[in-house]
Amino acid sequence: QGLCIIASNTSGLTEVCVDGENAIIFERGEPQALADAISDGVNDQPNLVKLGMSGLSLARTKTHQQVHIDREQFLNRVLRIR
């Protein structure tokens, strides 16, 4: 079973967690935004299941090898920007 992710809009997390697709994203450093995200999730169980299953599908594509490939591509993009 997949579990819904509730995450702040911190760089890195938003590379994988997409609000409304596989996670609930809230404003970093805003405790009320976190509380609202949790409350929204609790009040919409079908959406939590949908987000959790989407996250599970994504996680299944992230084999050990694929994680390293993704990391290399990310680093190449970042280093080219500088």
Side-chain angles (χ1 to χ4, degrees):
Q1 171 178 331
L3 297 175
C4 176
I5 296 169
I6 298 178
S8 67
N9 61 347
T10 303
S11 180
L13 292 176
T14 55
E15 297 291 321
V16 177
C17 300
V18 178
D19 191 38
E21 185 177 311
N22 61 11
I24 298 172
I25 305 296
F26 67 93
E27 185 69 31
R28 178 178 54 135
E30 297 291 333
Q32 187 59 52
L34 172 58
D36 292 344
I38 293 169
S39 178
D40 291 348
V42 167
N43 292 320
D44 190 355
Q45 293 290 317
N47 191 46
L48 283 183
V49 171
K50 178 187 81 92
L51 295 173
M53 295 309 293
S54 178
L56 180 60
S57 293
L58 175 66
R60 287 184 171 144
T61 68
K62 299 296 181 185
T63 63
H64 186 74
Q65 181 179 6
Q66 188 61 48
V67 168
H68 287 290
I69 291 168
D70 291 348
R71 183 176 295 136
E72 180 181 16
Q73 291 172 348
F74 170 76
L75 290 173
N76 285 333
R77 279 194 321 270
V78 169
L79 294 175
R80 273 190 232 130
I81 291 172
R82 295 175 190 233

